[in-house]
Amino acid sequence: MVALESTIISHGLPRPDNLRVAREIEQQVRAGGAVPATIGMLGGRIVVGLDDAGLTQLADRDDVVKLSVRDLAPAAAAGVHGATTVAATSAIAETAGIAVFATGGLGGVHREARDTWDESADLVALSRTSICVVSAGVKSILDVPATLERLETLGVTVLGYRTTRFPGFYLTDSGHSVDWRVDTAEQIAAVLAARYEHGVHDGAVLVTNPLPESEQIDPQLHDRVLHEALDRLAAAGVTGHDVTPYLLSYLHEHTGGESLAVNVRIILRNAELAAAIAVAAADAD
């Protein structure tokens, strides 16, 4: 099985693309020989493996709450509809016995974190969950080197899939390296098996899956628009939870929609690789 987050459906993609892409992600997993399990909350009940009606609710409703791990209990008590972040999806997936999770990009350490202490709960959650997460690195709007330092401190294993360079989500190469390269799903499954056999550490294995250079956003366009967005962000006084949505929305608007198209390509590629890992891990058992 492959776990899938639901925040991309409710908060990450515009309507009506969000529901279409959610279905495409699940189909990509099925095409790879695995079973998709999109995770979310409906009426206060955690659902592992949303059916199409559940996907539609999270895609179409305006009252869907974005849920991290800390929000699960109060959201359940309040009976809300909720979409799970990387942190919440990882924790729920592990509890449900799902070992592989596909997402687009991780949260991480925000720029200016020295002043704001703004760091995604994704990082600490991955240090506490024994799950394999496939992503295209962390979003390039974040402080990538600081995020890599935190992943190291938290004991999260980072693998580069067919690369020794850490991807920057929209960009193939963030400008930073990874220590361990793997070239096949079978090699990744072997890493997972060794971790389980050792029983030493419960942290996640992060498999970074970069876009081919031909599919990334033009780096010069990306850098120019991102710098503009950061300047506008500071001038507008946007802080806290509003920072990431603001920056992503600005990138979408000022790259002519290219950032959205790249986002979709990323999650579909990651779903494909996650399915291959899940199948390889099952075959090795």
Side-chain angles (χ1 to χ4, degrees):
M1 297 187 73
V2 173
L4 301 168
E5 61 162 304
S6 47
T7 299
I8 191 172
I9 305 169
S10 62
H11 295 80
L13 297 171
R15 298 171 184 156
D17 294 330
N18 56 346
L19 181 57
R20 173 184 59 81
V21 173
R23 290 167 173 161
E24 289 178 359
I25 296 167
E26 290 202 341
Q27 184 53 40
Q28 191 83 327
V29 173
R30 293 189 188 98
V35 178
T38 303
I39 294 173
M41 180 176 285
L42 297 176
R45 183 172 64 95
I46 292 174
V47 180
V48 179
L50 289 162
D51 60 15
D52 196 68
L55 292 177
T56 301
Q57 286 203 63
L58 294 187
D60 291 347
R61 295 180 66 106
D62 293 325
D63 60 349
V64 176
V65 180
K66 186 176 181 180
L67 302 177
S68 189
V69 177
R70 68 172 189 170
D71 305 309
L72 293 174
V80 305
H81 296 293
T84 52
T85 63
V86 168
T89 303
S90 298
I92 295 168
E94 182 182 45
T95 302
I98 302 173
V100 183
F101 165 33
T103 185
L106 295 183
V109 179
H110 283 248
R111 297 168 189 250
E112 311 302 330
R114 291 179 181 176
D115 299 320
T116 64
W117 292 85
D118 193 353
E119 175 184 311
S120 171
D122 294 354
L123 302 184
V124 173
L126 292 185
S127 74
R128 298 172 176 170
T129 52
S130 297
I131 195 164
C132 174
V133 181
V134 181
S135 84
V138 299
K139 295 178 177 68
S140 52
I141 61 176
L142 301 172
D143 187 330
V144 176
T147 300
L148 284 169
E149 289 291 342
R150 284 293 287 150
L151 287 169
E152 179 181 0
T153 299
L154 293 168
V156 177
T157 299
V158 181
L159 308 177
Y161 182 63
R162 298 178 178 173
T163 184
T164 57
R165 307 297 297 172
F166 189 78
F169 194 65
Y170 297 123
L171 302 177
T172 302
D173 185 351
S174 69
H176 303 275
S177 62
V178 295
D179 292 330
W180 297 100
R181 170 176 173 147
V182 287
D183 292 302
T184 67
E186 290 73 20
Q187 287 179 328
I188 298 168
V191 172
L192 301 181
R195 181 194 58 175
Y196 178 79
E197 181 181 353
H198 293 160
V200 172
H201 179 55
D202 292 332
V205 173
L206 173 62
V207 179
T208 58
N209 184 28
L211 279 172
E213 287 188 9
S214 61
E215 295 184 22
Q216 68 177 346
I217 288 182
D218 176 74
Q220 292 185 340
L221 172 64
H222 170 275
D223 291 350
R224 177 177 60 79
V225 173
L226 179 57
H227 284 125
E228 290 174 0
L230 291 170
D231 289 342
R232 296 286 184 91
L233 180 82
V238 178
T239 59
H241 292 301
D242 296 326
V243 170
T244 295
Y246 179 93
L247 292 175
L248 293 178
S249 176
Y250 192 95
L251 280 167
H252 171 53
E253 180 181 352
H254 292 83
T255 59
E258 181 59 20
S259 67
L260 177 61
V262 170
N263 196 351
V264 173
R265 289 199 293 271
I266 285 170
I267 184 57
L268 291 176
R269 284 173 50 83
N270 291 346
E272 179 182 27
L273 177 57
I277 296 168
V279 170
D283 289 345
D285 285 345

